Amino acid sequence: MSSQNRTNIPNSLNEHWMPFSDNKSFKKNPRLIVEAKGVYITNHEGKKMIDGSSGLFCNPLGHGRREITEAVSKQLEKLDYCQPFNQGFGGSFELASRIAKKTPGDLNKIFYTICGSTAVETAIKIAVAYHKAKGHGHRFKFIGRERGYHGVNIGGMTVGGMVNNIKAFASILMPGVHHMRHTHLPEHKFVKGQPETGAEMAEDLERLATNFGGENIAACIVEPIAGSTGTLIPPKGYLKRLREICDKHGILLIFDEVITGWGRTGSAFGAIEYGVTPDIMTMAKATTNGVIPMGVVAVKDGIYDAITDASSAPEGAPELFHGYTYSGIPAAVAAALAVQDIFDKEDIFKRAKELSPYFLDGLFSLKDISCVTSIRGYGMMGGIDIQMKDKPGKAGFQTFKHCYDAGVNFKSTGDTLIIAPQFICEKKHIDEIIEKLRTGISNYAKS
Ligand SMILES: Cc1ncc(COP(=O)(O)O)c(C=O)c1O
């Protein structure tokens, strides 16, 4: 195939094994995207759709941002790659300072990874290394939460709580992991914002600490808002209580902000929005507006100091035996720096916060559609549960297809639609997303 016709349907769809996809049905009826600009994407049939989920929560600044494209291309012409081990380039240090200025508290040490999954794996290893450095090598247990999603690598998959992801690989899970129950209670149906009830679900952590010994637990990891299982908003007081229990037992608190990071809640991070500072925080996705893979782990100064001070390695040997060939590569750093510029210039988190009530009102206006069984939302993210027709887990994708035909694209999971508009949306774009969702969901209900 020549480069000219790469935007059309390729001669063969057989060889590409697509991730998290129903490969067989996709290949019978492909949905290829050939162009993306601003809030719109266009498929191979020339159909223009509004992007209702910022890709996979990746592009809050809109598609095709010239500032990012130009920054990356300039960087590639000057320095395309340099090895990140015992070497570096100025950009990654500048970016780390700029990220550290936006993270809360003393989360000032920045470790680069390749994506969200590798950020989580890194956070897990840093937690283990920290306790070892403090002489607490017995702290090896991790606490995750049901319905959490922390990527697909062994550690992240194990601490995650998405049943299908775990079941398939039950034989190779990380040892020493236990789960708290999720916080989504029956009375949270159609609750806008943070539910008033459910803070007591945090006591699951206290129970696990009692059962297994808090002194044996390395860290507890949660998403401030569970994103991939359909936007589960933390009950009021829940995250604060987790922080208190972690402090009581010397357990590190890790916030996985791969989705909630960079403005999705209306603040730079969920940690800031909910006033709870973790010890380690992961981010990815919007860090580069989705255009080049990059993950980031922000770590408290004290954790970095403990690990680097404890090292007795000879000069030139790493203090932490961990890192990636693509940790903080120049093109990703250039994209992330351009994104930081846009965040600052356009006061983008404020924009997200101001747009949120309009978006949430629109989202909750879909309540009257017969097959909608619950709606949740916070900031610029929402979840809509759809009544299943035959088997559980199919309604989300079936509805997605009707919505795609109606002209709005988003992510579905199980029986839930995940809506996460771009922050650059104007009110008319939110109206368009909601109107097309109404058409698509109603058509699913009638089908
Ligand atoms: C909270 C969270 N953590 C980790 C990940 C994994 O990120 P990636 O797909 O970039 O590996 C995701 C992806 O959606 C996520 O939502």
Side-chain angles (χ1 to χ4, degrees):
M1 184 177 63
S2 75
S3 58
Q4 279 93 334
N5 71 358
R6 271 195 197 126
T7 53
N8 298 325
I9 293 202
N11 295 336
S12 170
L13 297 175
N14 289 334
E15 289 75 20
H16 178 190
W17 187 346
M18 299 169 68
F20 272 129
S21 300
D22 176 350
N23 276 261
K24 281 185 265 180
S25 83
F26 180 93
K27 286 166 188 183
K28 278 189 220 136
N29 183 20
R31 285 171 298 279
L32 298 170
I33 306 303
V34 297
E35 205 177 311
K37 267 271 163 291
V39 299
Y40 293 100
I41 58 175
T42 307
N43 78 3
H44 65 280
E45 291 162 330
K47 184 182 173 62
K48 195 167 155 185
M49 286 165 286
I50 191 155
D51 183 349
S53 58
S54 306
L56 285 180
F57 302 94
C58 297
N59 334 103
L61 305 180
H63 294 284
R65 292 296 298 241
R66 190 178 294 278
E67 306 93 312
I68 304 174
T69 320
E70 285 176 358
V72 171
S73 128
K74 237 165 97 182
Q75 178 63 59
L76 286 175
E77 275 173 24
K78 184 146 198 257
L79 171 68
D80 56 354
Y81 182 82
C82 73
Q83 58 148 310
F85 306 157
N86 274 329
Q87 210 173 70
F89 79 111
S92 64
F93 294 90
E94 184 192 337
L95 178 63
S97 304
R98 292 186 69 178
I99 293 175
K101 274 205 186 93
K102 293 201 172 71
T103 53
D106 49 359
L107 285 157
N108 291 324
K109 295 293 185 283
I110 304 300
F111 196 104
Y112 296 112
T113 71
I114 311 165
C115 58
S117 298
T118 49
V120 169
E121 238 49 29
T122 300
I124 288 173
K125 287 172 83 172
I126 287 176
V128 168
Y130 167 72
H131 289 302
K132 208 164 157 229
K134 297 291 269 183
H136 301 151
H138 53 277
R139 282 192 188 264
F140 72 98
K141 285 186 177 289
F142 282 81
I143 308 298
R145 190 172 59 185
E146 290 168 359
R147 294 191 70 170
Y149 181 65
H150 303 292
V152 290
N153 293 343
I154 304 283
M157 174 182 66
T158 312
V159 292
M162 290 186 75
V163 177
N164 286 331
N165 295 0
I166 299 176
K167 263 196 326 205
F169 300 103
S171 55
I172 53 162
L173 297 177
M174 184 169 85
V177 173
H178 306 278
H179 290 82
M180 302 179 287
R181 287 169 295 169
H182 65 77
T183 61
H184 188 48
L185 304 177
E187 69 261 30
H188 296 172
K189 269 187 190 168
F190 296 108
V191 169
K192 199 193 275 181
Q194 282 192 275
E196 297 290 336
T197 61
E200 69 283 359
M201 299 304 284
E203 300 308 323
D204 278 12
L205 180 58
E206 183 64 49
R207 229 178 55 214
L208 290 167
T210 306
N211 280 353
F212 298 105
E215 71 282 7
N216 295 317
I217 299 174
C220 167
I221 178 167
V222 293
E223 304 156 82
I225 296 176
S228 293
T229 42
T231 309
L232 310 181
I233 322 285
K236 282 187 183 157
Y238 172 83
L239 294 172
K240 189 165 164 277
R241 185 68 191 124
L242 281 188
R243 178 73 272 181
E244 286 164 1
I245 298 168
C246 283
D247 288 345
K248 176 175 160 197
H249 296 283
I251 299 168
L252 295 179
L253 180 61
I254 305 173
F255 277 180
D256 184 349
E257 299 239 21
V258 165
I259 286 177
T260 49
W262 302 126
R264 193 49 69 187
T265 61
S267 295
F269 296 100
I272 295 173
E273 181 69 14
Y274 298 124
V276 177
T277 305
D279 302 293
I280 303 177
M281 195 160 84
T282 56
M283 49 200 110
K285 298 191 186 271
T287 309
T288 61
N289 203 39
V291 302
I292 302 198
M294 174 177 250
V296 174
V297 186
V299 181
K300 277 192 172 169
D301 291 320
I303 293 177
Y304 170 89
D305 292 342
I307 293 172
T308 52
D309 290 350
S311 169
S312 56
E315 194 186 342
E319 297 116 349
L320 179 69
F321 281 83
H322 180 73
Y324 301 95
T325 302
Y326 298 106
S327 280
I329 53 166
V333 166
L337 282 169
V339 164
Q340 290 292 322
D341 288 344
I342 299 171
F343 284 164
D344 294 344
K345 205 168 76 197
E346 299 183 8
D347 208 352
I348 209 78
F349 311 142
K350 186 162 160 247
R351 188 184 169 112
K353 185 155 246 161
E354 285 172 359
L355 192 56
S356 165
Y358 192 81
F359 161 61
L360 294 179
D361 283 352
L363 196 70
F364 278 75
S365 73
L366 300 170
K367 189 176 171 176
D368 62 306
I369 307 175
S370 62
C371 66
V372 170
T373 57
S374 176
I375 301 179
R376 299 165 293 279
Y378 194 100
M380 288 296 284
M381 60 195 283
I384 305 175
D385 292 345
I386 304 289
Q387 193 154 38
M388 61 158 189
K389 287 198 171 153
D390 38 22
K391 270 202 233 158
K394 281 174 71 178
F397 190 62
Q398 285 165 346
T399 312
F400 159 82
K401 287 196 279 189
H402 284 284
C403 290
Y404 186 89
D405 290 342
V408 58
N409 194 54
F410 57 82
K411 175 178 164 31
S412 66
T413 176
D415 295 323
T416 300
L417 321 182
I418 298 178
I419 313 300
Q422 297 170 338
F423 307 161
I424 55 146
C425 276
E426 291 168 25
K427 285 185 176 170
K428 66 175 183 198
H429 299 128
I430 300 291
D431 292 344
E432 186 179 340
I433 290 171
I434 300 300
E435 187 193 304
K436 289 181 170 169
L437 279 172
R438 175 171 288 282
T439 306
I441 298 170
S442 305
N443 286 344
Y444 162 77
K446 283 187 238 143
S447 66

